[in-house]
Amino acid sequence: MPYKSPFAVPKHKVCSFSLQLHLFHDKSCDRENCKSTFCDDSISAASTSDVQDRLSALELRVQQQEDEITVLKAALADVLRRLAISEDHVASVRKSAPSKGQPGLREAISMSCITNGSAGSRKTSHSSSVSVARKETLSSAAKSIKRTLTAEKSHSMWDNSDDSRNKLLRAASTSKLISKVAKNAEKHKDVIVSQAKMSTREKNSQEGEYIKMFMRGRPITMFIPSDVENYDDIRTELPPEKLKLEWVYGYRGRDCRANVYLLPTGEIVYFIASVVVLFNYEERTQRHYLGHTDCVKCLAVHPDKIRIATGQLAGVDKDGRPLQPHVRVWDSVSLMTLQVIGLGTFERGVGCLDFSKADSGSHLCVIDDSNEHMLTVWDWQRKSKVAEIKTTNEVVLAVEFHPTDANTIITCGKSHIFFWTWSGNSLARKQGIFGKYEKPKFVQCLAFLGNGDVLTGDSGGIMLIWSKTTVESTPGKGPKGVYQISRQIKAHDGSVFTLCQMRNGMLLTGGGKDRKIILWDHDLNPEREIEVPDQYGTIRAVAEGKADQFLVGTSRNFILRGTFNDGFQVEVQGHTDELWGLATHPFKDLLLTCAQDRQVCMWNSVDHTLEWTRLLDEPGHCADFHPSGTVVAIGTHSGRWFVLDAETRDLVSIHTDGNEQLSVMRYSVDGTLLSVGSHDNFIYLYIVTENGRKYSRYGKCTGHSSYITHLDWSPDNKYIMSNSGDYEILYWDIPSGCKLIRNRSDCKDIDWTTYTCVLGFQVFGVWPEGSDGTDINALVRSHNRKVIAVADDFCKVHVFQYPCSKPKAPSHKYSAHSSHVTNVSFTHNDGHLISTGGKDMSIIQWRLVEKITLPQNDIVVEIGTTKAPIPANESGVESPAPLSQSFDEMAQNESITGSSLTCLESNLEQTVEANEEQSEEQSEGSSLDPGEPSYEEPSNETSEEHSESTVTEDQQDNSPVS
């Protein structure tokens, strides 16, 4: 589910979007922040609703106050800036022409309006004095936000009201108002421009043309470059470049259990974010199941070892609509979705699940994450719920069917183990009695012995054997079976976290605190043991591997493959805390990530391996490679930044700028300068020598009224463009002493070496309706300047055409992350795009492909944009969705990625590509099953208007393969 960005502006999703049609009509679309839902066990449903309503009202009031503060801060910054401008100009006028001070003074006031993007012309008297000028400047600045929004009284966006505070709050909540104003110095008359159903009247007081956008009540002015002859002629289209998921780095082990298995195909199946990964460690290939819409939390393998069930958490989409938790059953060979279970049944998420064994896996039992931890039994092939019952208010950690008794289900968790007798549509519970044995705090895991006895592992390091005994029958009922403890075994120091029954009847146990894996013989006597090294963390999952091997998932997100004789080998690893920092090498297939876990990791994007890792003293947040590729600079949360050797990982240099988080590091194109953007509102400049190994302070850019978010250099090293947390776009003249360029229209034609600023004329079209200014976390332009990749707060990666200078521009949209996407970066040859997830801690590598339609046969040819040859094992075809399938099935099928068998490539490739456009049209035109109105299948994520739609690639384009 989407998470909050760690920006200063809170992300309560209460916002609105207004269009300007001569009169500003306020068209608010409040959407609730569904990112966190808290329930109280002790209150009724009615009182819960009341509390939620009160909480929503309080959140709305808090948000309105925060919006007002944001506007007032912006106004204060305008006051200070305008005072400085007027004083500078008055001083220069007095020196140069004491007898002609009035015209110069008028110019000073006019320039102050230009600098702040105000479109209203100022009329000043020639008899004005300096004191009057200061008063006029201060007054106009204090009212700049409100005046710019209201323009003239007859064009107010609000209805007439005596409550000015309410007006200001409504102005603050207004997000994204776009208008275009043309300046004609010779003609003093109003200009009416209508763009995208928006129109405005403003005075001609600007140099050239500009676009104005509003976010949370703050106007953002972007000047139109000189090479744009007619803004109306600009067209934004879907780019021909698309993305295909190629590789996922990382594994979710920190807060999950029993989620690593080896399939008969030789692949390890596990999950991270909303992707289930099938990884062949011998061939170094991955396939991906992409049917889920939010975090995958649990996994179960069918007795046939082919079909797999995965459960996900609840989430919300970008419009605040709920994404319901559910279970998906799918085929691990074809990656086709077989069934979607539990829509509208489960609350919060799916905690654990298991297939039945005695009846060949025709049933599925599920425990959800509601307060009552509901146990449901499903005939999953018929999608029918057979039985349902509340289990307990305590945490439930595991559920399993008995392997030989089809009517017995066992659940365990905090201070309990329950034995359930399932008969028809009823479930009867019997609690396990510990008697003379110490009752553990947690019963952690379950397994079954060959004779049908139940084996449990608990938090005290004890294994208990529960044997079934027959007691006297109750009159009118058959004999009852009761499970009682028959044996106790001390297994581990600390908890017994996982049990794995092997094919040969022996048992593997994994300990928590002692990090030991112990092999037990048929009589449960310890035979072999091995300790997992401390750097990998504690054991979360153990599974049987090939021959004498076993697989281990750990709390530090490692998957290890090992034997008792040879030790462990790392197969999968990733970060263990929120991930923000990302940089790609300037000319090698390498990428670097840094996160709040203090780890810095260098990855090889061709071999998909970890080159090296280093632990910093502090959490890393941003990074950039020196153009020589020899060193990399890493900014941290405390104001310190490190320079590491890119090959040896040795520490080259340490510096400190302020004591707040560093948000961006950016080298100039020739590597002679380094800019450091900080949350203390400053940009620090350094001269770089000795190929990135020596740094000396050059200056500091002072002028932003909020923290720095993004910045870019010009190719000649003279200018910097920067964005801040209050949506400013400022430009800096570096050779002149890091001075702020007052007249921003002078910067409209500057070229930029990179484009990572999220606000600017060339990229403002990427912002969706209703944005609050922090919905886009990162943006990057490809090196060939054809496309823009965007990381948003709703788990999506977008690809737009570059430039993107029209509102509501269309994009290709991709789902794989289950948290806010924090960063994106193209590799050096534009062959791949790398994206990072925040809370999901995933690193996802996408391959860029270009679709070219050949009109003579209507076949779409896919051309990889990478300059490097693609290995044969990375190529694959996509399985088309049969047109006769229902919409739900098509949505499920189109959400899947995977490579088909080689023998099918020649037969399917043309069919897939030829039907692609038809599939997209069907996906856009279809509606949901009326029986499931509140659930949005992935393929129905296109926007409402076809002409301005966002194409969801992981559903409409048959999904990518590795």
Side-chain angles (χ1 to χ4, degrees):
M1 65 189 298
Y3 295 87
K4 282 189 177 181
S5 302
F7 286 151
V9 181
K11 293 191 58 56
H12 300 285
K13 300 298 177 193
V14 182
C15 58
S16 62
F17 181 79
S18 66
L19 299 179
Q20 191 179 30
L21 296 168
H22 294 290
L23 292 177
F24 292 103
H25 297 288
D26 189 15
K27 193 171 83 174
S28 63
C29 54
D30 293 343
R31 67 178 190 263
E32 182 182 355
N33 176 14
C34 297
K35 293 181 179 178
S36 301
T37 304
F38 302 93
C39 296
D40 191 342
D41 299 345
S42 63
I43 58 179
S44 66
S47 59
T48 300
S49 177
D50 294 340
V51 171
Q52 293 294 345
D53 292 342
R54 290 186 180 183
L55 285 175
S56 298
L58 289 174
E59 286 181 353
L60 178 59
R61 291 180 59 186
V62 170
Q63 179 63 37
Q64 290 174 336
Q65 292 171 357
E66 289 168 347
D67 288 343
E68 182 179 13
I69 291 172
T70 300
V71 175
L72 293 176
K73 284 182 178 179
L76 179 60
D78 291 341
V79 169
L80 298 176
R81 209 158 28 228
R82 293 181 182 209
L83 280 174
I85 293 171
S86 61
E87 289 173 352
D88 292 344
H89 278 268
V90 169
S92 61
V93 167
R94 283 180 170 175
K95 289 182 180 180
S96 60
S99 61
K100 299 181 180 179
Q102 289 81 2
L105 181 59
R106 181 170 61 184
E107 182 184 0
I109 298 174
S110 177
M111 285 297 294
S112 72
C113 295
I114 292 173
T115 306
N116 289 277
S118 174
S121 63
R122 305 292 305 173
K123 294 183 179 181
T124 57
S125 171
H126 286 277
S127 61
S128 300
S129 64
V130 174
S131 61
V132 172
R134 288 176 59 93
K135 181 178 179 180
E136 176 70 10
T137 305
L138 200 155
S139 175
S140 64
K143 299 177 181 178
S144 62
I145 302 301
K146 185 175 179 181
R147 186 187 67 245
T148 309
L149 288 174
T150 57
E152 300 171 351
K153 186 176 181 179
S154 61
H155 294 88
S156 174
M157 72 164 53
W158 310 294
D159 296 330
N160 291 331
S161 172
D162 295 331
D163 190 350
S164 60
R165 180 177 177 275
N166 287 340
K167 292 182 178 181
L168 183 58
L169 292 179
R170 292 177 68 181
S173 68
T174 302
S175 164
K176 193 142 193 175
L177 172 65
I178 303 175
S179 60
K180 173 179 176 285
V181 176
K183 156 72 167 134
N184 187 336
E186 288 76 20
K187 300 178 182 179
H188 296 277
K189 64 181 182 178
D190 292 348
V191 178
I192 301 176
V193 181
S194 178
Q195 295 293 337
K197 299 183 180 180
M198 304 179 191
S199 63
T200 185
R201 292 172 183 260
E202 293 188 3
K203 301 288 185 179
N204 295 321
S205 62
Q206 296 288 358
E207 293 295 334
E209 298 181 338
Y210 63 88
I211 294 292
K212 184 167 289 185
M213 178 172 70
F214 283 76
M215 282 191 181
R216 301 185 75 168
R218 182 177 180 89
I220 304 166
T221 302
M222 296 161 289
F223 289 90
I224 300 176
S226 301
D227 59 359
V228 178
E229 296 181 359
N230 187 351
Y231 179 76
D232 296 336
D233 294 337
I234 294 179
R235 296 290 179 267
T236 55
E237 300 175 349
L238 285 170
E241 292 82 2
K242 298 184 179 182
L243 301 181
K244 284 188 175 292
L245 181 60
E246 181 173 280
W247 202 266
V248 180
Y249 302 84
Y251 154 72
R252 182 168 182 167
R254 187 178 64 167
D255 59 349
C256 296
R257 59 182 64 218
N259 61 347
V260 177
Y261 296 95
L262 181 69
L263 300 178
T265 57
E267 296 166 309
I268 303 173
V269 59
Y270 58 93
F271 55 77
I272 182 172
S274 63
V275 183
V276 186
V277 182
L278 296 95
F279 171 49
N280 190 316
Y281 57 86
E282 293 180 341
E283 299 179 2
R284 302 298 302 177
T285 59
Q286 279 187 358
R287 297 187 298 139
H288 312 101
Y289 176 73
L290 291 176
H292 286 281
T293 58
D294 214 285
C295 297
V296 182
K297 194 65 187 294
C298 54
L299 183 152
V301 179
H302 192 275
D304 65 11
K305 306 297 183 184
I306 295 176
R307 288 171 286 188
I308 295 175
T310 44
Q312 74 166 61
L313 300 180
V316 292
D317 64 10
K318 67 182 182 65
D319 297 319
R321 291 174 296 188
L323 299 175
Q324 295 179 334
H326 60 273
V327 173
R328 286 178 174 264
V329 183
W330 48 281
D331 189 297
S332 64
V333 176
S334 65
L335 298 179
M336 302 292 283
T337 300
L338 304 176
Q339 201 60 266
V340 179
I341 296 172
L343 293 173
T345 300
F346 306 132
E347 291 186 23
R348 299 181 185 170
V350 178
C352 47
L353 71 169
D354 188 46
F355 282 104
S356 58
K357 284 92 172 174
D359 59 0
S360 301
S362 61
H363 290 89
L364 185 72
C365 59
V366 182
I367 300 283
D368 72 3
D369 285 334
S370 64
N371 291 336
E372 295 82 11
H373 297 97
M374 300 297 295
L375 167 62
T376 52
V377 180
W378 300 80
D379 184 338
W380 65 266
Q381 291 171 318
R382 298 181 181 178
K383 201 177 178 180
S384 63
K385 181 167 60 177
V386 178
E388 181 177 22
I389 194 171
K390 297 178 181 179
T391 59
T392 174
N393 287 336
E394 301 291 355
V395 175
V396 179
L397 298 176
V399 59
E400 291 204 27
F401 275 99
H402 195 282
T404 56
D405 185 355
N407 297 322
T408 299
I409 300 173
I410 297 119
T411 62
C412 65
K414 184 177 181 180
S415 303
H416 76 270
I417 178 171
F418 295 145
F419 300 89
W420 302 86
T421 301
W422 167 40
S423 177
N425 60 357
S426 66
L427 286 162
R429 185 184 78 179
K430 292 180 182 178
Q431 184 168 351
I433 305 301
F434 291 90
K436 63 180 181 180
Y437 301 97
E438 181 180 357
K439 188 175 185 178
K441 291 183 178 179
F442 291 92
V443 180
Q444 300 265 34
C445 48
L446 295 169
F448 299 92
L449 302 180
N451 60 1
D453 288 350
V454 179
L455 183 67
T456 62
D458 61 43
S459 54
I462 303 295
M463 289 194 302
L464 295 174
I465 299 176
W466 301 75
S467 301
K468 190 173 185 179
T469 60
T470 303
V471 298
E472 294 183 3
S473 61
T474 304
K477 297 183 180 180
K480 292 184 177 181
V482 176
Y483 282 91
Q484 296 180 345
I485 299 173
S486 60
R487 183 180 172 189
Q488 174 180 280
I489 304 167
K490 177 64 176 176
H492 290 270
D493 294 330
S495 66
V496 180
F497 206 89
T498 182
L499 300 169
C500 172
Q501 190 74 41
M502 302 180 70
R503 291 183 294 269
N504 60 8
M506 300 181 77
L507 182 75
L508 286 173
T509 62
K513 183 178 178 180
D514 63 7
R515 305 189 314 280
K516 288 183 179 180
I517 295 176
I518 302 177
L519 175 66
W520 305 79
D521 63 18
H522 294 81
D523 297 323
L524 292 182
N525 298 313
E527 191 170 285
R528 302 284 301 274
E529 71 174 46
I530 188 171
E531 184 174 330
V532 174
D534 180 59
Q535 68 263 27
Y536 300 138
T538 58
I539 298 167
R540 306 291 296 189
V542 174
E544 189 174 6
K546 295 181 179 179
D548 60 344
Q549 298 177 352
F550 48 86
L551 304 172
V552 182
T554 74
S555 60
R556 292 185 181 170
N557 296 342
F558 285 88
I559 295 180
L560 309 174
R561 179 167 55 93
T563 66
F564 288 104
N565 294 325
D566 302 328
F568 296 98
Q569 178 178 338
V570 176
E571 294 295 347
V572 179
Q573 60 186 304
H575 286 280
T576 59
D577 208 340
E578 189 165 357
L579 172 60
W580 279 86
L582 170 67
T584 51
H585 196 280
F587 52 85
K588 292 182 180 179
D589 294 314
L590 298 174
L591 59 113
L592 180 136
T593 57
C594 56
Q596 293 186 15
D597 58 7
R598 300 189 293 123
Q599 281 197 97
V600 178
C601 298
M602 182 77 79
W603 308 87
N604 187 309
S605 62
V606 174
D607 299 334
H608 309 121
T609 55
L610 182 70
E611 295 284 321
W612 55 258
T613 183
R614 179 187 173 110
L615 198 65
L616 297 179
D617 296 334
E618 300 170 30
H621 190 79
C622 54
D624 193 33
F625 278 95
H626 187 270
S628 67
T630 57
V631 297
V632 60
I634 301 164
T636 70
H637 281 236
S638 67
R640 296 176 71 191
W641 52 276
F642 303 85
V643 180
L644 302 181
D645 188 292
E647 291 188 4
T648 65
R649 62 187 157 183
D650 293 336
L651 184 63
V652 174
S653 183
I654 303 179
H655 300 270
T656 303
D657 288 309
N659 57 4
E660 297 192 42
Q661 174 181 302
L662 302 181
S663 51
V664 57
M665 313 285 291
R666 187 80 64 218
Y667 284 99
S668 61
V669 65
D670 60 359
T672 59
L673 292 168
L674 172 67
S675 54
V676 181
S678 172
H679 271 227
D680 63 8
N681 304 358
F682 301 134
I683 300 174
Y684 300 90
L685 275 298
Y686 284 82
I687 295 176
V688 183
T689 55
E690 297 180 12
N691 219 19
R693 295 182 176 272
K694 186 176 181 181
Y695 298 81
S696 56
R697 174 74 74 83
Y698 173 74
K700 180 170 69 172
C701 298
T702 304
H704 272 294
S705 54
S706 185
Y707 57 92
I708 312 301
T709 58
H710 308 84
L711 61 84
D712 294 290
W713 282 94
S714 63
D716 56 8
N717 296 354
K718 290 184 178 180
Y719 305 104
I720 286 178
M721 170 175 59
S722 58
N723 292 168
S724 61
D726 59 353
Y727 326 128
E728 285 182 317
I729 309 172
L730 297 185
Y731 301 90
W732 310 88
D733 187 338
I734 304 306
S736 301
C738 307
K739 288 186 177 180
L740 175 66
I741 300 175
R742 303 292 181 180
N743 191 355
R744 289 180 294 150
S745 64
D746 294 342
C747 305
K748 64 184 179 182
D749 295 324
I750 296 177
D751 185 32
W752 302 105
T753 303
T754 59
Y755 213 118
T756 61
C757 286
V758 297
L759 296 171
F761 175 78
Q762 285 81 2
V763 299
F764 79 89
V766 306
W767 287 90
E769 293 185 57
S771 296
D772 71 354
T774 58
D775 288 339
I776 292 179
N777 296 313
L779 176 151
V780 64
R781 180 187 65 193
S782 61
H783 299 91
N784 60 18
R785 304 193 177 207
K786 290 184 178 180
V787 295
I788 309 167
V790 170
D792 75 13
D793 239 23
F794 309 103
C795 316
K796 299 293 189 293
V797 175
H798 299 256
V799 177
F800 291 86
Q801 181 190 60
Y802 179 84
C804 188
S805 304
K806 284 280 190 176
K808 299 170 68 175
S811 71
H812 300 302
K813 183 172 66 174
Y814 301 88
S815 299
H817 292 284
S818 61
S819 168
H820 53 289
V821 186
T822 54
N823 217 329
V824 283
S825 182
F826 287 98
T827 54
H828 65 96
N829 61 358
D830 290 334
H832 294 88
L833 176 73
I834 312 298
S835 62
T836 57
K839 293 291 187 180
D840 67 28
M841 299 166 283
S842 64
I843 306 164
I844 297 183
Q845 181 172 317
W846 310 84
R847 180 160 51 92
L848 265 74
V849 295
E850 185 172 351
K851 304 283 185 176
I852 300 177
T853 302
L854 305 180
Q856 63 270 22
N857 53 10
D858 291 332
I859 292 179
V860 181
V861 179
E862 184 179 294
I863 300 176
T865 59
T866 177
K867 297 178 182 178
I870 301 174
N873 59 10
E874 293 184 12
S875 64
V877 297
E878 305 157 345
S879 301
L883 300 181
S884 59
Q885 286 181 310
S886 67
F887 171 73
D888 285 344
E889 292 172 341
M890 186 179 300
Q892 296 157 13
N893 297 341
E894 289 177 343
S895 301
I896 303 166
T897 178
S899 58
S900 301
L901 299 175
T902 305
C903 62
L904 296 178
E905 288 185 359
S906 60
N907 295 330
L908 292 181
E909 187 170 20
Q910 290 187 349
T911 306
V912 171
E913 303 298 354
N915 289 338
E916 178 182 330
E917 307 229 344
Q918 186 174 1
S919 298
E920 292 189 3
E921 292 175 3
Q922 290 178 345
S923 181
E924 291 177 5
S926 301
S927 60
L928 290 179
D929 185 341
E932 299 168 359
S934 60
Y935 175 70
E936 181 180 350
E937 279 285 348
S939 59
N940 199 34
E941 293 183 7
T942 54
S943 60
E944 295 177 1
E945 296 183 20
H946 177 73
S947 60
E948 296 165 348
S949 64
T950 299
V951 180
T952 308
E953 285 308 311
D954 59 338
Q955 291 89 30
Q956 295 171 352
D957 188 16
N958 294 297
S959 301
V961 294
S962 55

